[in-house]
Amino acid sequence: NDDSIEQEEIQNSEPASSKEIQNAVNKSPSVINSSQGKVISKNSRISKAALKAANYTCAIDPDHKTFKTERKIPYMEGHHLIPCTVNNSEFFYKKFGKNIDCMENVVCICPNCHREVHYGEWESKSRKIKMLLKKQKDKLEKIGIFITEDELLNLYKRE
């Protein structure tokens, strides 16, 4: 799943308003047909708001540096901790009535960590996923999304 187009949209977006952020979690997921088949339509403004809230700092290692964008901000990427697939989106919406395309589920990470979370060897990749869940778990639970470490790791094994 090449998300370079999605990341470009995030870079070029304005951050979502606080009202848009609050409403996102209760909106039903929107499935669209794409060249890769059915996918979830994600709001790039939500991801941009998460990057801004994290002060464009990698959640895995705040010392990770990247280049500056044309907007003169560090280039970081928005990563949905609970992968925003059609199956996952529909499952979490049915189970909790919550949309996983929400700010609480988006972490700000550098492009290197992002690639590793998707394509790295399992031991290192799973360590990063566990670390991110520890940082996000309270935020997710506060909005009514509950997931264990094992459940989350299983979603990445199926990726």
Side-chain angles (χ1 to χ4, degrees):
N1 139 7
D2 173 26
D3 74 345
S4 60
I5 293 166
E6 184 182 330
Q7 293 304 327
E8 187 178 347
E9 284 174 9
I10 293 168
Q11 296 307 316
N12 295 324
S13 294
E14 289 303 317
S17 67
S18 52
K19 186 175 173 57
E20 197 176 353
I21 291 165
Q22 287 171 337
N23 292 340
V25 74
N26 296 313
K27 234 181 215 156
S28 69
S30 169
V31 178
I32 55 173
N33 290 310
S34 79
S35 55
Q36 292 126 358
K38 290 189 184 306
V39 296
I40 291 296
S41 172
K42 298 181 205 88
N43 183 344
S44 58
R45 292 165 47 87
I46 296 289
S47 293
K48 182 63 170 237
L51 299 185
K52 187 176 180 187
N55 204 23
Y56 302 95
T57 301
C58 181
I60 290 170
D61 185 341
D63 291 334
H64 287 176
K65 301 288 182 242
T66 68
F67 59 91
K68 295 256 194 256
T69 68
E70 287 180 359
R71 294 176 174 213
K72 309 271 185 273
I73 53 177
Y75 178 87
M76 289 287 166
E77 295 184 343
H79 171 68
H80 287 84
L81 183 57
I82 299 169
C84 211
T85 64
V86 172
N87 284 345
N88 293 347
S89 296
E90 290 174 346
F91 174 82
F92 282 89
Y93 195 74
K94 279 189 188 112
K95 186 169 182 180
F96 301 114
K98 303 297 176 188
N99 188 333
I100 57 174
D101 185 28
C102 62
M103 198 158 140
E104 295 79 3
N105 189 41
V106 176
V107 290
C108 176
I109 54 181
C110 72
N112 206 41
C113 285
H114 197 189
R115 293 294 143 249
E116 185 174 6
V117 163
H118 286 287
Y119 307 112
E121 53 86 24
W122 181 249
E123 191 178 319
S124 176
K125 169 180 174 164
S126 61
R127 194 170 42 247
K128 283 180 166 50
I129 294 164
K130 289 176 190 176
M131 177 197 300
L132 290 170
L133 180 59
K134 278 190 183 79
K135 291 182 175 197
Q136 292 301 114
K137 197 172 175 69
D138 288 348
K139 293 175 187 172
L140 288 165
E141 290 180 356
K142 194 173 176 185
I143 58 162
I145 295 175
F146 298 88
I147 188 165
T148 66
E149 194 176 86
D150 285 344
E151 288 168 332
L152 183 61
L153 290 172
N154 280 331
L155 297 179
Y156 282 85
K157 284 179 183 166
R158 291 199 298 258
E159 218 181 39

